Amino acid sequence: MLNKMLKGIGLAVLATGLLAAQTAVQADWSAEWKTTLGELWSQTKAKTQETLDPEKFRPAKPVQIGIAYGTEKRKWFQWAVEEFAKTPAGQNINVELIPMGSVAGGKAVLSKNQDIHVWSPASSMVEPLLSEPWEREHGKSPILSDAPLALSPMVYVMWKDRYDAFVAKYGALNWKTISQGLQEPTGWAAIADKPEWGIFTFGHTLPTHSNSGLLSLVLMGYDYFDVMRSLKHSQIMQADFIAWLGETAANMDTEETSTGNLMTNMLRYGPSTLNGVMVYENLALSNLGTAAGRWGEIEVVYPERSVWNDNPFYILDTPWVTKDQQDAAKLFQSFLLSEPAQRVARDQYLFRPANVDLPIVESGSAFERYKDVVKIDVPAIRRPTEEVLNQLMQLWKRTQ
Amino acid sequence: MNPSIRGRLIPLLLALFALFASPALHANQPLELLFLYGSEKKAWISDVTRDFNRRGFKLQDGRQVQVSAEPMGSGATMQAVLDGSRQAHLVSPASGVFIELANADWQQQAGRDLVGETRNLVLSPVVIAIWKPMAEALGWGERALGWSDILHLAKSDTGWGEYGHPEWGPFKFGHTHPKHSNSGLLSLIAETYAASGKTRGLKLSDVESPATLEFVRGVESSVVHYGRSTGFFGRKMMANGMEYLSAAVLYENMVLESYGEDLAHPLVAIYPKEGTFWSDHPVGLVERDWVSDAHREAGWRYMDFLMEKAQQEKALQYGFRPADVDIPVADTFTAARGVDADEPKTTLRVPPGRVIRAIMDELWVDVKKHANVVLVMDTSGSMNGTKLERAKDGAVELVRMLGDADQLSTMFFSSNPYWMSRDQLLGPSRAEAEQQIRNLRANGGTAFYDAVLMAKDHLTEHAVPGTIGVVVVLTDGEDTHSRADLDGLLEGIRLGPANSVRIFPIAYGEGASMQVMEPIADATQVKAYKGSTENIEKIFSDISTFF
């Protein structure tokens, strides 16, 4: 298993680096972040090195593994399953992909869904939602090993004409101004003298089911208190914050449980349904071209405070997962982290590689193509405590 | 049983069981997947399902999948699956509203959803389709139009005269019956939203507000008649032109389709400024016990096929916006075809099941345009026996489906027409009306034309303002005793400023000719039916959805 402490430090360093970015010491932060990620990668590689020998670990008989995963990785995973099956190691391994919201995936493991042998949520931020209750009940971790597969920060996406009008009115796009827009009774009539655009609409996924919805709530808290780290339980229990969150949540679109579907719905139904959403960077970038053919251009906006999604690959250590299945999962993990698979994740599906042997931007890479849009150094918040996460979810539930 | 026989028989039975359960045998029998879907997408589904069946997709157990795709009204589809009368494995109503309602019902009955996870197949917004000259008179292309404009026109004493076109007469509006058709239900919910000034969060208090009642009743006052099928409205509108309907609630794809017809004026789409719904055609597996794992596997296979790029691109040809967002639509949805790829600007949120129920069961009863119906039954000698008894069952079904505030007159004819009752408010007289129908006896000749004329004259002479005047007439043979002939009848019933009575004729059994019935229906811009003892109840039920 990857050293959790190192990972915790890694995230903390990321956050510290972001603070540095805030104070314009961006170069230091970037270097630190890259070092941290480099260490994470070395750990992952060392731990999985043995599994890279397909002769040693090739299952003697067919093994089936089920992976509950967030739909933001759907296309990459589908590609990987197909390609993995062609490798010597993959020939006896049948990988079944089970699309499921990140939070919902953890809940399914908690309820002992025996089809799931690997849980790959969008972010390690949701890991305690499974681990802590499981450990309380069973006295041990439900996770055998983990490894970040690919990185993607949270971004806002808005229809360009709406974004321009919004920023002209409020100066910036952040959760505070989004909340203001949502509470305009006459919507775009008041924001931009455009009554024909209807009311202002914005969406994130359902926080009780999906990682990006939960992270949106987290970022709302950080934006409200204007901090980059250490959002405290006592802060989010302040009456003014609770009232603000309630007013914001009451007008937010949060029905969708999958981030991939939320992005698709925005493109399908256009500004008539959603003026903007918070999603993963890879979903936003990979839909830049699509949007233009349906409803017009979209604008990808990096928040003042974002958060990294590391797409961890949690191989389960639960009673229904056999040793063969764990080994098979390790083989698939090795495949996903191999340079060719990471290259596909980067260039076809716009994930930033977890394998730091592969740069984000290089000649011919997809990020090079979007260099005018992409912000490489993203200021990210420090991970809040489990207590804060759960309390935010409780507060949000009360508003529904 | 003798133990030695039992000893031989049990292994034999087991062997037979094993043989019948074996994949090898399965492989020879295709698995049939029953797919019920909203008839709006019939052309597309027929086309792509033919391809699917031709390709012979196989399940893991070796069986080939054959999809039996049947178009059906959205409400009827969900009802049939709820009550188990159709054991469908896969359903796709025209919008998620019907899934929401059916799941709410099934949650109450069985504690779980009736339809699991869904995917959207194709999209089409609900629009107000209107003749282009009329739309332009309202300001189409220059300002945003919506339900408030429809309300204004509906309440205007001078109708189109207010917009400089008195020759177009009063504003005539149409939408399907909300209890039977998706577009009718969405229309009613959209009117309720428009009345409340909201685009989301519609509450029971909004539905019950007096202002909502006044707004929706105002719009409904201009409705010519209702109906079961959105397609029927579209086709009738195109066939009969501006005199029949000024505007109707249709799907955007039907406006696009109309450009393939030779019409005197083109149709265009109004995307209501107050917001509208998307008809999003969700498809999902039915969660009932007749759906096996093999059906599920087949269902997913078929759904995946429908979502493939080739099938999605075909949807464009039929006027739908593909659910696959990688397929651009801007070049297809243009003003030259009466539609706009940048519309709608505002989407309404589907309200919770209890709010939809309140709209259907309470608001609708209060705002629905009432009907003034004359039921005319043939009791000539040839009707004797089962034929008459089944016709009575059908007629009683019609009486049961009418509202308490509707008015009913009943007439029978053999060699002459006779009134049984006139202008009875149905609430207090329903049981009596049913009894009168049950008491009918067959005898004598057939004075069909005279009976129809007498019924129609009664309705025009005793017209009740604000109601839909309707004659429903059933006959089983040729006219033998009337003073009027067919030409005289057609002349007498033709619609005009002094006559808005619709006549629904039913040719019952082999003796009655559709060649007589169809001109009668056409003269009043409705539909003629061919009935038999097997389907007569369904026909009366279908007719009742028009008013």
Side-chain angles (χ1 to χ4, degrees):
Chain A
M1 192 200 297
L2 248 187
N3 185 324
K4 277 193 184 172
M5 192 177 287
L6 174 64
K7 189 161 192 186
I9 293 166
L11 287 165
V13 173
L14 282 181
T16 313
L18 300 169
L19 272 177
Q22 281 289 87
T23 49
V25 199
Q26 207 153 315
D28 289 350
W29 171 80
S30 299
E32 213 163 1
W33 171 63
K34 282 163 192 162
T35 308
T36 307
L37 199 57
E39 285 172 15
L40 283 170
W41 169 239
S42 304
Q43 286 281 325
T44 304
K45 202 155 57 171
K47 288 283 173 191
T48 56
Q49 196 67 51
E50 54 205 288
T51 65
L52 293 176
D53 179 357
E55 291 309 313
K56 192 171 173 187
F57 281 93
R58 184 174 177 172
K61 54 184 181 191
V63 181
Q64 162 125 354
I65 54 168
I67 303 177
Y69 73 106
T71 47
E72 60 287 336
K73 299 188 281 289
R74 187 197 297 263
K75 287 182 181 171
W76 180 42
F77 269 23
Q78 283 172 343
W79 168 88
V81 167
E82 217 165 280
E83 291 303 312
F84 179 60
K86 296 175 191 166
T87 67
Q91 279 177 8
N92 260 353
I93 300 172
N94 181 25
V95 180
E96 192 198 347
L97 294 176
I98 307 168
M100 216 177 250
S102 294
V103 180
K107 283 183 185 165
V109 177
L110 263 184
S111 64
K112 302 186 172 64
N113 181 332
Q114 304 200 358
D115 294 334
I116 302 173
H117 310 100
V118 175
W119 175 40
S120 183
S123 157
S124 54
M125 194 85 80
V126 297
E127 182 256 1
L129 299 176
L130 163 65
S131 292
E132 293 195 1
W134 184 276
E135 282 174 27
R136 275 198 299 276
E137 191 184 339
H138 302 275
K140 65 188 276 281
S141 168
I143 294 168
L144 176 75
S145 73
D146 65 7
L149 295 178
L151 300 172
S152 199
M154 301 302 303
V155 296
Y156 300 116
V157 180
M158 267 187 89
W159 296 103
K160 189 166 180 0
D161 52 357
R162 265 69 170 176
Y163 172 74
D164 290 342
F166 188 90
V167 171
K169 164 84 174 178
Y170 296 114
L173 180 69
N174 56 48
W175 285 116
K176 279 187 186 170
T177 55
I178 288 168
S179 177
Q180 273 179 273
L182 289 173
Q183 288 173 58
E184 285 287 0
T186 58
W188 286 104
I191 299 169
D193 196 21
K194 292 266 191 190
E196 68 274 21
W197 286 357
I199 59 162
F200 173 67
T201 52
F202 208 89
H204 60 70
T205 53
L206 194 64
T208 49
H209 285 65
S210 159
N211 171 70
S212 73
L214 182 57
L215 295 191
S216 297
L217 289 189
V218 169
L219 291 174
M220 280 180 210
Y222 281 82
D223 267 8
Y224 185 81
F225 291 105
D226 205 10
V227 293
M228 289 297 284
R229 59 191 300 178
S230 306
L231 182 65
K232 294 185 178 66
H233 184 258
S234 58
Q235 284 176 303
I236 61 169
M237 289 311 290
Q238 287 173 14
D240 58 337
F241 174 72
I242 293 174
W244 176 83
L245 184 71
E247 287 158 0
T248 309
N251 294 295
M252 190 79 71
D253 280 89
T254 55
E255 288 176 351
E256 188 51 62
T257 55
S258 136
T259 318
N261 290 349
L262 179 68
M263 184 74 244
T264 304
N265 283 345
M266 178 172 164
L267 301 176
R268 258 184 204 158
Y269 300 110
S272 76
T273 301
L274 283 167
N275 297 153
V277 290
M278 173 163 260
V279 293
Y280 306 118
E281 177 195 53
N282 72 302
L283 288 175
L285 296 180
S286 54
N287 282 298
L288 278 171
T290 301
R294 270 320 252 251
W295 293 93
E297 284 180 52
I298 52 175
E299 183 85 14
V300 179
V301 184
Y302 288 79
E304 294 161 43
R305 297 167 189 82
S306 188
V307 60
W308 285 101
N309 297 283
D310 48 356
N311 293 287
F313 193 79
Y314 295 125
I315 299 174
L316 297 181
D317 189 17
T318 52
W320 62 87
V321 184
T322 65
K323 175 78 171 48
D324 280 356
Q325 286 168 324
Q326 289 172 340
D327 287 344
K330 283 179 191 169
L331 285 170
F332 186 56
Q333 176 188 297
S334 299
F335 177 80
L336 289 168
L337 287 167
S338 67
E339 197 168 311
Q342 291 278 296
R343 198 176 285 281
V344 168
R346 183 192 68 181
D347 294 338
Q348 289 189 27
Y349 306 114
L350 284 304
F351 285 105
R352 303 185 187 209
N355 177 343
V356 294
D357 295 344
L358 194 67
I360 298 168
V361 182
E362 65 178 343
S363 176
S365 81
F367 281 85
E368 173 77 7
R369 200 160 63 241
Y370 296 115
K371 64 177 182 223
D372 295 338
V373 178
V374 171
K375 200 170 161 185
I376 293 295
D377 294 325
V378 178
I381 56 148
R382 184 172 190 172
R383 175 180 180 155
T385 62
E386 165 64 8
E387 188 187 25
V388 167
L389 277 180
N390 268 324
Q391 193 60 55
L392 278 170
M393 201 129 65
Q394 291 307 321
L395 289 174
W396 181 83
K397 275 189 196 166
R398 206 187 286 173
T399 66
Q400 299 304 297
Chain B
M1 187 185 289
N2 181 323
S4 66
I5 294 174
R6 194 167 54 199
R8 284 195 295 269
L9 196 56
I10 289 173
L12 181 67
L13 287 172
L14 286 174
L16 277 172
F17 176 78
L19 180 68
F20 279 99
S22 75
L25 192 79
H26 271 161
N28 296 328
Q29 299 171 333
L31 180 90
E32 186 170 306
L33 194 76
L34 178 58
F35 174 41
L36 299 182
Y37 66 93
S39 49
E40 304 78 9
K41 51 185 177 289
K42 182 180 173 188
W44 176 62
I45 288 289
S46 306
D47 184 347
V48 295
T49 303
R50 209 177 303 121
D51 278 354
F52 180 86
N53 287 335
R54 204 180 289 141
R55 289 199 207 175
F57 287 99
K58 287 194 171 160
L59 298 176
Q60 281 180 2
D61 65 12
R63 279 185 287 177
Q64 193 174 311
V65 183
Q66 277 294 308
V67 175
S68 171
E70 287 185 28
M72 209 170 170
S74 295
T77 294
M78 301 316 294
Q79 191 51 49
V81 177
L82 272 172
D83 64 28
S85 59
R86 297 304 309 273
Q87 300 199 341
H89 308 106
L90 201 63
V91 288
S92 176
S95 98
V97 175
F98 281 93
I99 303 263
E100 178 113 4
L101 277 174
N103 280 349
D105 279 0
W106 198 238
Q107 278 288 352
Q108 278 200 334
Q109 286 183 50
R112 62 177 198 275
D113 285 348
L114 182 74
V115 179
E117 183 193 336
T118 59
R119 292 195 263 179
N120 298 334
L121 289 177
V122 288
L123 312 171
S124 198
V126 176
V127 300
I128 300 170
I130 184 167
W131 300 105
K132 193 173 183 185
M134 290 177 164
E136 285 170 340
L138 289 176
W140 183 77
E142 290 162 13
R143 67 182 185 94
L145 301 171
W147 287 107
S148 56
D149 299 283
I150 298 296
L151 176 67
H152 184 79
L153 260 167
K155 290 172 89 168
S156 167
D157 291 335
T158 52
W160 286 108
E162 198 172 321
Y163 293 86
H165 289 280
E167 73 279 14
W168 292 343
F171 177 67
K172 296 175 192 165
F173 190 50
H175 65 69
T176 53
H177 198 297
K179 290 200 170 185
H180 299 276
S181 160
N182 178 62
S183 66
L185 177 57
L186 294 184
S187 175
L188 196 62
I189 299 174
E191 290 170 42
T192 311
Y193 261 122
S196 74
K198 293 181 172 181
T199 57
R200 60 176 65 198
L202 198 67
K203 295 195 169 82
L204 285 176
S205 54
D206 298 315
V207 178
E208 289 156 0
S209 131
T212 300
L213 187 67
E214 193 188 333
F215 187 105
V216 181
R217 187 180 278 155
V219 171
E220 293 298 314
S221 69
S222 62
V223 167
V224 171
H225 63 75
Y226 303 101
R228 186 187 288 273
S229 154
T230 319
F232 175 82
F233 256 112
R235 286 192 297 276
K236 278 282 168 192
M237 191 169 176
M238 289 174 225
N240 295 311
M242 288 161 97
E243 283 178 15
Y244 168 58
L245 280 177
S246 311
V249 177
L250 304 178
Y251 299 110
E252 181 192 56
N253 65 296
M254 299 170 76
V255 173
L256 264 167
E257 273 184 332
S258 74
Y259 283 74
E261 307 284 326
D262 184 19
L263 303 177
H265 302 284
L267 279 175
V268 298
I270 291 176
Y271 303 84
K273 64 183 176 192
E274 298 89 347
T276 190
F277 289 98
W278 284 90
S279 176
D280 50 6
H281 300 276
V283 62
L285 284 161
V286 172
E287 299 293 339
R288 295 287 304 263
D289 52 10
W290 61 73
V291 180
S292 67
D293 284 347
H295 289 122
R296 285 194 186 87
E297 187 190 341
W300 283 113
R301 195 74 195 256
Y302 178 62
M303 286 190 276
D304 285 344
F305 175 81
L306 294 178
M307 294 306 293
E308 283 173 10
K309 196 156 190 167
Q311 282 65 253
Q312 287 284 301
E313 279 176 339
K314 264 193 181 172
L316 268 181
Q317 296 168 18
Y318 296 102
F320 291 101
R321 305 189 192 198
D324 181 345
V325 292
D326 288 331
I327 300 171
V329 300
D331 293 344
T332 309
F333 292 78
T334 60
R337 291 166 162 190
V339 293
D340 185 347
D342 291 335
E343 290 279 5
K345 293 281 195 296
T346 303
T347 301
L348 302 171
R349 184 76 63 83
V350 175
R354 64 181 188 287
V355 175
I356 302 176
R357 276 272 163 244
I359 292 173
M360 281 171 82
D361 296 343
E362 293 162 30
L363 180 65
W364 171 241
V365 174
D366 289 338
V367 302
K368 178 184 173 293
K369 209 166 174 182
H370 297 307
N372 189 6
V373 181
V374 181
L375 173 64
V376 183
M377 298 284 285
D378 183 346
T379 56
S380 59
S382 56
M383 285 285 288
N384 205 10
T386 310
K387 218 169 167 184
L388 183 59
E389 293 309 311
R390 294 294 298 134
K392 287 180 192 174
D393 292 342
V396 166
E397 178 68 16
L398 175 73
V399 171
R400 285 179 185 161
M401 293 192 78
L402 292 173
D404 285 350
D406 291 332
Q407 205 165 271
L408 178 71
S409 305
T410 48
M411 172 191 281
F412 68 92
F413 67 91
S414 48
S415 302
N416 287 294
Y418 301 96
W419 287 107
M420 285 189 286
S421 68
R422 266 179 274 195
D423 307 328
Q424 298 294 303
L425 193 63
L426 207 57
S429 66
R430 199 183 300 269
E432 191 187 336
E434 287 183 25
Q435 197 52 52
Q436 284 170 341
I437 292 166
R438 292 285 178 210
N439 289 341
L440 288 174
R441 299 283 176 271
N443 184 25
T446 305
F448 171 58
Y449 301 150
D450 286 354
V452 175
L453 273 176
M454 190 193 276
K456 175 255 153 192
D457 287 345
H458 175 79
L459 285 178
T460 48
E461 283 160 22
H462 301 86
V464 182
T467 63
I468 302 172
V470 173
V471 175
V472 180
V473 55
L474 174 146
T475 184
D476 78 331
E478 286 180 20
D479 193 298
T480 56
H481 280 69
S482 288
R483 285 184 295 277
D485 60 10
L486 180 58
D487 288 341
L489 172 68
L490 294 177
E491 191 52 39
I493 62 173
R494 200 165 300 283
L495 294 176
N499 175 31
S500 60
V501 175
R502 313 271 163 183
I503 298 172
F504 292 87
I506 305 169
Y508 188 48
E510 295 308 313
S513 165
M514 287 298 278
Q515 285 177 342
V516 175
M517 303 301 155
E518 276 169 351
I520 295 172
D522 286 346
T524 63
Q525 296 171 344
V526 289
K527 188 174 171 184
Y529 291 83
K530 181 74 185 158
S532 67
T533 52
E534 283 79 38
N535 71 356
I536 192 63
E537 270 186 83
K538 189 175 174 302
I539 285 175
F540 273 110
S541 163
D542 191 60
I543 290 173
S544 75
T545 65
F546 280 86
F547 41 84

